[in-house]
Structure formats: structure tokens, C-alpha cells
Amino acid sequence: MAKRNMLQAINEALDTAMAADEKVMCFGEDVGGFGGVFRATSNLQEKFGKARCFNTPLVEQGIVGFANGLAAQGSIAVAEIQFADYIFPAFDQIVNETAKFRYRSGNLFNVGGLTIRAPYGGGISGGHYHSQSPEAYFAHTPGLKVVIPRNPHQAKGLLLASIRDPDPVIFFEPKRLYRASSGEVPESDYELPLGEAEVTREGSDITLVAWGAQMEMAEKAADLADKEGISCEIIDLRTILPWDAETVAESVFKTGRLLVTHEAPLTGGFAGEIAATIQERCFLYLESPISRVTGLDTPFPLTLEKEYMPDHLKIFEAIKASVNF
């Protein structure tokens, strides 16, 4: 296996999908010859031509509307939103068109061949228009799938699975990890299952649930906890919608405690949905209240980004509080 960073793995996934199926088309702002603002689509236009990898106007609602039309007519559309913060002008197209297209037509039409890629999250000093984590907005929308990888191996396999999935998928890419995360990635064509969480570390005292870049924070916090004699089980949710409640519940039945961490603000964050579901299923097994370690209920700051971010130290303190409850 070759060693790749996350950007290279995403580029490989797009290359693999386009080579395997001529119906796959990749488009967005500056994705053509420029390769996108992060270079995730580098060399794709050169290899597959301007008819299959091309630039769009700077109109996010138009990008997704165009993608809906392409997918409805049988193309496999992979649309890039340059930053997840810019996805909101396309919110109507995604929530009222993409998600409901199959339902409202009685399955006469569908846009299942649509994948929307978007870099998301903080950690790059991008300020409040380049750092948000909007996954919870879309988790409230039946008809979509929402997927977030944690490393290059996951990114390639989950993106290929998303492109080939029969449902429309929003694929949020943790941009802090684009070049910071590297690892072995198979050069072959492979897919990882959507809707299935992965237990990345076995433990007995508390369950930690995270996704994307927060997985690194959870791992570091678990290492600190281990030095204190606290055994953490770590679960990468991977898919936010639909999320794997069974895997999380089975873990909590064993550990009796749950901590969920994400970068998005606390109120209305997806951790709340996880907490509500797990307390319904595991109430009699819980040894302490379910904990949430998240971003703050403020706009994403620039100069105070480190204070805003839910880091490993905040998670470690919450682990100790839960175990000592």
C-alpha cells in the first residue's frame, strides 16, 4: 500500500470512480485546471477532459441545482462546495429537492447518483466563514446520507462508497486533516460501508464517540485517561445519517458511560441526538450522565480558535468527571 495524505486519497477516489464509470462527472468552483482551492481535483480535467471535470459559476444553489438535474438524468454527479460554510445558499436545493426527489415522484425519478463534497471544520485559522461544522443541519433531513472520514484510508473507501451509493450523499471532509493526516491507502478500488460505525479502540470504563478530526482528539484524551487507569472504548461514527445506534448502544451496555464530542456548537449539535437515543436504550445501564464536549454556542472565532475548539484536554477532564461521578 502507498502512503497518502487525505487530499491524495480523495483525489485517488475521484480518479478511480471516473476511470471505472464514464457517467461520473466532477464539478465546482475552480475544480478544473486549478484543481480546487485545496487541490483535491488536481489533474482530473487533464485526464478525463473538460466535459467530465469542469468549473462552475460561483453560485452554490446553482451548483447543487445543476447536480440534481444531472443526477436525475442518469449521470453520477460529484459536486464540490468550496467550503462547507458556503453550502447554505444551496440549502433549499439540498433539503427540498435532492432529499425529496425520489419520494415526491413515487420513485419515477431519483437523484441517488449525487454526491456533494465539502471541506468542513476548524483548525486552520479560517475564521467564522471557513471553519463551521454544519452536519447537524442535514441530519434532520430524511432522504440524505451524511458521511465524514477520519483519515486517508477511510476517506478513499467512504468516498467511493458514497459516489456509488443509491442515495444522495453529503461528504464532509475535515480540512484540518487534508495534509496533516497520512497513512497507508490501498491503490486498488475499495469501498467501506456507509451507516456502520467502527470501534477503533476497545475499552471497559467509558465509551467515546466522535467523527472526523475529533477522532484524533478522542484518541489523545484516551491516552491520557489510560495513564490514570481509565479504559476508554472509542467509536468513529463515520456516517452521521443514518447513524449506527446499535454499535454505540452495545458499547454503552458494556462501559456504562458515554461521552460524545464534535466541533459544532453544543445546542442542536448531533451529540444531543446520540445522547437522547442512548439514554432511551441504555438508561438502566448508565453509571453517570451522558457527556457532550463540543464547540461553544458562539460564532466561530478567529483569534480565540484554540479556546473554542473541543481539544483532548477538555475531553480528558470530562472523562474523569464521568468516571468519578
Side-chain angles (χ1 to χ4, degrees), residues 122-198:
I124 65 163
S125 299
H128 59 296
Y129 285 132
H130 298 82
S131 305
Q132 296 174 81
S133 300
E135 65 268 25
Y137 290 101
F138 299 99
H140 197 59
T141 308
L144 299 176
K145 289 183 179 177
V146 180
V147 180
I148 304 175
R150 73 175 183 272
N151 62 30
H153 177 268
Q154 299 286 313
K156 181 176 178 180
L158 290 172
L159 181 53
L160 281 168
S162 297
I163 291 170
R164 293 160 178 168
D165 195 82
D167 298 307
V169 177
I170 302 178
F171 193 84
F172 286 120
E173 301 164 2
K175 57 183 176 287
R176 182 174 69 80
L177 302 184
Y178 268 160
R179 293 181 174 85
S181 177
S182 62
E184 290 187 338
V185 178
E187 296 181 34
S188 60
D189 186 335
Y190 68 96
E191 299 176 27
L192 295 173
L194 305 186
E196 292 185 20
E198 180 183 7

Side-chain angles (χ1 to χ4, degrees), residues 195-315:
E196 292 185 20
E198 180 183 7
V199 179
T200 63
R201 182 188 298 204
E202 299 277 351
S204 57
D205 295 326
I206 186 171
T207 300
L208 311 182
V209 173
W211 50 89
Q214 279 304 106
M215 281 296 295
E216 180 185 0
M217 298 297 104
E219 292 282 354
K220 288 182 177 180
D223 290 340
L224 293 175
D226 188 58
K227 295 177 182 178
E228 300 281 332
I230 301 170
S231 174
C232 299
E233 182 146 301
I234 304 178
I235 297 176
D236 178 10
L237 209 56
R238 300 198 293 189
T239 303
I240 303 299
L241 187 67
W243 70 282
D244 186 356
E246 295 299 328
T247 294
V248 178
E250 284 299 317
S251 177
V252 175
F253 285 141
K254 178 174 68 172
T255 67
R257 299 177 180 88
L258 174 63
L259 183 153
V260 187
T261 179
H262 58 63
E263 289 185 25
L266 176 72
T267 302
F270 197 67
E273 176 63 29
I274 297 171
T277 299
I278 295 305
Q279 72 86 19
E280 287 176 351
R281 297 193 181 194
C282 307
F283 182 75
L284 295 178
Y285 291 81
L286 290 172
E287 302 288 343
S288 64
I290 296 171
S291 300
R292 293 179 288 169
V293 181
T294 70
L296 306 179
D297 285 339
T298 70
F300 199 102
L302 177 58
T303 57
L304 298 176
E305 182 179 49
K306 288 184 179 180
E307 286 73 15
Y308 177 93
M309 295 286 281
D311 63 13
H312 63 292
L313 297 176
K314 294 177 183 177
I315 297 171

Side-chain angles (χ1 to χ4, degrees), residues 95-141:
V95 170
N96 281 326
E97 305 299 337
T98 306
K100 297 177 175 64
F101 210 78
R102 180 186 291 132
Y103 177 84
R104 79 180 191 206
S105 71
N107 204 32
L108 290 174
F109 305 100
N110 76 79
V111 294
L114 169 58
T115 300
I116 300 169
R117 294 179 42 250
Y120 97 114
I124 65 163
S125 299
H128 59 296
Y129 285 132
H130 298 82
S131 305
Q132 296 174 81
S133 300
E135 65 268 25
Y137 290 101
F138 299 99
H140 197 59
T141 308

